[in-house]
Amino acid sequence: MRVKLCLALGLAFVGQTVLAACGGEEGMCETETGQYQIELPAAANPPLVVFMHGYGGSGTGTLGNRSMVEPLLERGYAVMAPEGAERNGRQSWNFFPGWEGRDEAAFLTEVVQDAAERFGVDPDRVVLSGFSAGAFMVYYLACAAPDTFSAYAPVSGGFWRPHPQTCEGPVRLFHTHGWIDNVVPLEGRILGGGRFHQGDIFAGLEIWRIANECADTKPSGFSTSGQFMRRNWMGCAEGSALEFALFPGGHTVPKGWADMMLDWYEGLPGG
């Protein structure tokens, strides 16, 4: 039976209370620049999935998504849910270049190292993932410093305009997005009365192909896995991997995502 370190009571459904815990104690795990929650499988030195919540979300809400968390734990992965910092009165992530606020790359590195020291997770086998604003954060961190974690798996989020001119590479990235997502549409949308503009997801994939030194824009392969329609780019720079999965739903983490993402990650060299 796996050890659950973060959910003390029940599940995150309406009318139920979820208490955060750290190492079996009430309260979140505290580091110098923030907080996180974590659940561990029974195995020692497990790999780790760090999953960042969306705008206005929380780590408790992330761990309440049991259809996502349970498959990760069952396959031997620890699941970390870090807490975003306050932005405009709600928790989110300081992802856009030039914004003032917490150094999120430093914070995420800090919490992974803290979890390695406290709980024995493997800091060399970390998938950084996130939903919506959390996925924006994944994109920008992977673009600036792809060696920070071993792979990246954003869900329903990408770059904002103006898109980065270039990204560092190679990167190992698996992007999942909903066909009818109207919060982060595939084409992007204008926010804040024109002050912000979400980017085009397909333009973002082009940036990743360039970072990975792919010789052709054409995908190397196409496949379907249940509801997911997938395409990938192989034969690019050594150590790179790029895949895109589209599903028929909207702005959500779709059922089946966890197993699909881990199948991809475990199929990578060193995954």
Side-chain angles (χ1 to χ4, degrees):
M1 181 180 296
R2 63 174 173 269
V3 180
K4 293 188 177 181
L5 295 178
C6 294
L7 298 185
L9 291 175
L11 301 177
F13 297 136
V14 176
Q16 294 180 309
T17 300
V18 177
L19 299 182
C22 179
E25 299 178 3
E26 185 176 340
M28 298 182 189
C29 301
E30 300 275 353
T31 66
E32 183 176 348
T33 58
Q35 301 172 314
Y36 70 92
Q37 300 179 53
I38 190 168
E39 290 193 44
L40 297 177
N45 194 223
L48 174 66
V49 174
V50 178
F51 197 95
M52 293 178 284
H53 60 74
Y55 179 72
S58 68
T60 299
T62 295
L63 293 183
N65 184 354
R66 304 313 295 176
S67 66
M68 179 187 77
V69 173
E70 294 285 347
L72 298 174
L73 293 169
E74 288 169 2
R75 290 181 60 163
Y77 287 74
V79 183
M80 176 188 288
E83 297 288 337
E86 183 175 315
R87 294 194 65 83
N88 301 318
R90 304 184 74 178
Q91 286 195 158
S92 191
W93 306 96
N94 184 33
F95 59 84
F96 196 75
W99 282 0
E100 295 183 358
R102 184 172 67 183
D103 182 337
E104 303 290 21
F107 166 65
L108 292 165
T109 301
E110 176 184 88
V111 294
V112 168
Q113 186 58 43
D114 186 80
E117 294 171 359
R118 292 198 204 201
F119 309 116
V121 302
D122 187 346
D124 295 323
R125 293 186 294 161
V126 178
V127 179
L128 183 68
S129 186
F131 170 69
S132 195
F136 300 150
M137 188 68 247
V138 173
Y139 253 63
Y140 282 97
L141 193 153
C143 179
D147 290 337
T148 306
F149 301 110
S150 60
Y152 299 87
V155 181
S156 304
F159 290 124
W160 282 21
R161 294 182 183 273
H163 298 109
Q165 292 186 347
T166 60
C167 284
E168 298 295 323
V171 67
R172 306 200 300 181
L173 185 138
F174 190 120
H175 183 124
T176 305
H177 216 98
W179 174 252
I180 59 171
D181 191 333
N182 63 2
V183 177
V184 183
L186 289 165
E187 300 80 5
R189 68 176 177 129
I190 296 172
L191 301 171
R195 291 183 298 136
F196 308 112
H197 195 166
Q198 293 171 354
D200 186 290
I201 297 303
F202 291 99
L205 290 171
E206 173 70 2
I207 293 170
W208 295 127
R209 287 194 296 269
I210 293 171
N212 282 353
E213 302 176 8
C214 296
D216 196 351
T217 55
K218 178 184 176 181
S220 304
F222 305 86
S223 63
T224 57
S225 302
Q227 66 173 327
F228 299 101
M229 297 178 292
R230 301 166 61 176
R231 57 212 299 135
N232 65 72
W233 290 264
M234 307 288 288
C236 304
E238 183 178 356
S240 71
L242 181 61
E243 184 152 341
F244 178 65
L246 193 64
F247 65 95
H251 194 63
T252 187
V253 180
K255 290 184 178 180
W257 171 82
D259 281 315
M260 176 182 65
M261 185 275 291
L262 290 185
D263 288 344
W264 168 81
Y265 178 62
E266 291 174 0
L268 301 175

